[in-house]
């Protein structure tokens, strides 16, 4: 019998988050996002868990944008 692959968070959302955050330490936050993904997966469908993951990633990006602006005075 063939095993079903284990669902994982959307790769594109994860890559976008890592790229946008740059040198910031994102490993802990990425781990938290993954835990939330699997928790949402247990409570609902794969599609809902993926959409929620995207929502969480996109909600974090503005805070990193502000952080970048603070490090570059004059912009």
């Amino acid at each position: 019998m063939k095993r079903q692959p284990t669902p994982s968070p959307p790769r594109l959302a994860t890559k976008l988050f890592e790229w946008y955050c740059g040198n910031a330490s994102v490993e802990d936050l990425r781990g938290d996002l993954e835990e939330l993904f699997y928790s949402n997966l247990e409570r609902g469908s794969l599609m809902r868990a993926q959409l929620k993951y995207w929502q969480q990633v996109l909600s974090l990006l503005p805070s990193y944008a502000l952080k970048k602006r603070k490090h570059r005075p004059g912009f």
Side-chain angles (χ1 to χ4, degrees):
M1 202 178 241
K2 222 177 189 183
R3 276 192 189 183
Q4 294 275 346
T6 305
S8 61
R11 222 177 302 165
L12 181 59
T14 302
K15 292 294 179 189
L16 172 70
F17 181 68
E18 290 172 351
W19 171 78
Y20 196 80
C21 296
N23 295 333
S25 177
V26 296
E27 285 301 314
D28 290 337
L29 193 51
R30 189 174 149 214
D32 292 342
L33 286 169
E34 286 181 12
E35 283 181 31
L36 286 171
F37 171 79
Y38 290 115
S39 176
N40 288 329
L41 186 60
E42 288 176 2
R43 285 188 256 134
S45 69
L46 175 61
M47 177 69 97
R48 185 172 292 267
Q50 289 175 337
L51 288 173
K52 190 73 172 164
Y53 186 86
W54 268 103
Q55 180 186 21
Q56 291 162 340
V57 166
L58 294 176
S59 72
L60 289 171
L61 294 183
S63 65
Y64 281 96
L66 289 175
K67 194 176 195 178
K68 284 181 181 181
R69 284 182 65 192
K70 286 182 182 179
H71 288 294
R72 288 191 257 163
F75 286 103

